[in-house]
Amino acid sequence: MNTPIADVMIVGAGPVGVTAAVALKQLGHDVVIVDRQPAGANTSRAAVVHPHTLEILEPYGVVPELVARGVHTPTFAIRDRDRLLMAVPFSDLPTAYPYTLMISQADTEKFLLQRLLELGGKVTRPAEVTDITQEPDSVTATLAEGEPIHARYLLAADGMHSLARERSGIGFTGGTYAESFTLADVHLSGGVPTDEVILYFSPAGLVVVAPIPDGMFRIVATVDEAPHDPDTAFVQKLLDERGPQAHPVVVEDVVWGSRFRVHHRIADTFRHGRVLLAGDAGHVHSPAGGQGMNLGIEDAVTAATTLSRVLAGESDSLLDDYAETRRRTAGAVVSIASRLTDLATASARVRPMRNTAMALAGKAPAVRNRLAWRLSGLDRR
């Protein structure tokens, strides 16, 4: 029998893992969190924090810093070039945060890590987990270097290629979009508003243009084969082909860029014995709608509070409830992200019908309000 040295071990120190660590530490539990990457090696893909996410983070002391740093965008607009198809207003939502908060994942991680340090926690880096085994009363993580770590429970927040999920024998069902995605943080001039997140539809594919701090814009687009490091000319061509025409946008420079493939997958279960899944270890999907990190943070807080109850002596069946509800929620989010992506990449043949239908639907306040509730996450309160 291995004596646990922690109540919970967390594998992965992105926003999901660190959120769970903060919540568990604040609830008074011993937590070990490890990550295979050295500090600062993470890429900054996520840039959207939705109202519901801010609400669930309120008890953990990071929201004032996030809100002060991020750009507040009260409208999510869907356009076909210059034609407005639908404007989804967040400003009327019954929340203290009636906007989408645009902020770099690097900043989100920084504020969460600061809070973890304030609570006496730390992240052990680099620490690569190579195997996971379970006993009746504990779970053990073997590391590439150093002594094994024993804990009462393990939370896998180690991303799409989760070793913890793999070692637990949990399937990851789904597929991969044919297109690749390019991502760039740029300085722009021209006709792009600074108070909207805009999803542009075009025959060439989708492009998202959103303001982020320090006067920059985040660009996300589907392309057949994205370059490893998108340059100014590449991003300019994307916006010329897909963005506004009446008031063209000029790309001044690219501050940072990357590429990635997008999968749509959900784990077959979010629990195997003493191992729980959260974030990309349990679900991945299109970036349309900006739901990925938000859903992962929601997983993290839910997992932490559930584990705290079980550690306090409540029934271990609560972990099955966690697994069932989070998988069902992930399915709904993956579905709406996939539908937005399919709409955005519709063929030229169906594009006129799509535009007409969306423009008509966009005139109905009930439709706009329902979409605002879903995108903001408030329907999951």
Side-chain angles (χ1 to χ4, degrees):
M1 179 183 297
N2 294 312
T3 302
I5 64 168
D7 291 329
V8 180
M9 177 181 179
I10 300 171
V11 183
V16 175
V18 178
T19 295
V22 166
L24 285 161
K25 287 292 290 183
Q26 192 161 301
L27 289 165
H29 298 289
D30 295 324
V31 180
V32 173
I33 178 170
V34 302
D35 196 288
R36 65 182 178 84
Q37 293 183 314
N42 295 318
T43 57
S44 185
R45 291 184 182 176
V48 182
V49 180
H50 285 306
H52 181 53
T53 307
L54 293 170
E55 290 183 347
I56 63 177
L57 285 174
E58 272 187 340
Y60 305 108
V62 296
V63 170
E65 288 84 357
L66 289 169
V67 168
R69 173 63 175 153
V71 176
H72 301 194
T73 55
T75 302
F76 174 71
I78 301 175
R79 298 177 179 272
D80 187 334
R81 306 304 300 260
D82 294 311
R83 181 184 179 186
L84 177 65
L85 302 180
M86 185 180 297
V88 181
F90 282 32
S91 53
D92 294 331
L93 292 171
T95 175
Y97 315 103
Y99 47 79
T100 294
L101 186 74
M102 299 302 303
I103 182 170
S104 166
Q105 180 179 320
D107 284 333
T108 301
E109 289 185 11
K110 179 181 72 174
F111 295 132
L112 287 166
L113 183 58
Q114 285 175 355
R115 181 59 181 153
L116 180 61
L117 296 174
E118 289 171 4
L119 292 167
K122 68 173 184 177
V123 176
T124 300
R125 297 175 178 269
E128 182 178 1
V129 176
T130 58
D131 198 13
I132 291 170
T133 56
Q134 297 193 47
E135 296 187 12
D137 59 353
S138 67
V139 56
T140 298
T142 303
L143 304 182
E145 297 181 7
E147 295 296 315
I149 296 174
H150 312 295
R152 293 178 65 184
Y153 294 95
L154 184 145
L155 181 65
D158 50 342
M160 185 181 78
H161 302 291
S162 170
L163 180 133
R165 185 192 63 239
E166 179 187 308
R167 289 291 189 269
S168 298
I170 298 173
F172 203 34
T173 304
T176 305
Y177 287 103
E179 305 91 350
S180 59
F181 281 72
T182 192
L183 184 155
D185 292 344
V186 305
H187 288 108
L188 298 178
S189 59
V192 178
T194 58
D195 59 352
E196 289 185 5
V197 175
I198 304 175
L199 171 57
Y200 286 101
F201 291 173
S202 84
L206 70 84
V207 63
V208 177
V209 181
I212 58 175
D214 301 325
M216 293 188 292
F217 287 81
R218 166 63 57 90
I219 310 296
V220 183
T222 54
V223 292
D224 289 336
E225 286 297 333
H228 188 273
D229 297 299
D231 59 14
T232 301
F234 178 80
V235 179
Q236 184 69 63
K237 186 172 185 290
L238 282 176
L239 294 176
D240 288 345
E241 291 177 344
R242 308 180 187 191
Q245 292 173 291
H247 302 284
V249 176
V250 176
V251 180
E252 304 291 349
D253 60 62
V254 175
V255 178
W256 176 83
S258 185
R259 67 179 177 184
F260 56 100
R261 288 278 176 188
V262 172
H263 305 258
H264 45 97
R265 299 179 183 275
I266 302 177
D268 293 347
T269 178
F270 278 44
R271 180 194 181 191
H272 175 71
R274 292 179 173 267
V275 175
L276 299 182
L277 306 184
D280 286 358
H283 47 78
V284 291
H285 51 80
S286 163
Q291 299 294 317
M293 183 182 71
N294 292 272
L295 187 61
I297 288 174
E298 191 177 311
D299 293 342
V301 171
T302 308
T305 53
T306 303
L307 284 166
S308 182
R309 292 172 63 188
V310 173
L311 289 163
E314 293 191 48
S315 172
D316 145 291
S317 65
L318 289 171
L319 301 179
D320 290 329
D321 294 341
Y322 165 84
E324 181 182 341
T325 57
R326 296 318 301 164
R327 188 174 189 277
R328 184 169 60 246
T329 300
V333 170
V334 170
S335 176
I336 191 172
S338 295
R339 285 202 298 273
L340 280 171
T341 303
D342 291 343
L343 282 170
T345 55
S347 68
R349 181 175 57 83
V350 302
R351 184 181 173 212
M353 291 183 291
R354 176 204 65 191
N355 289 0
T356 300
M358 289 199 70
L360 285 171
K363 295 181 186 300
V367 172
R368 298 197 304 269
N369 187 56
R370 186 163 64 248
L371 191 52
W373 273 84
R374 292 201 68 178
L375 291 172
S376 67
L378 295 181
D379 66 329
R380 301 195 298 274
R381 274 175 169 165

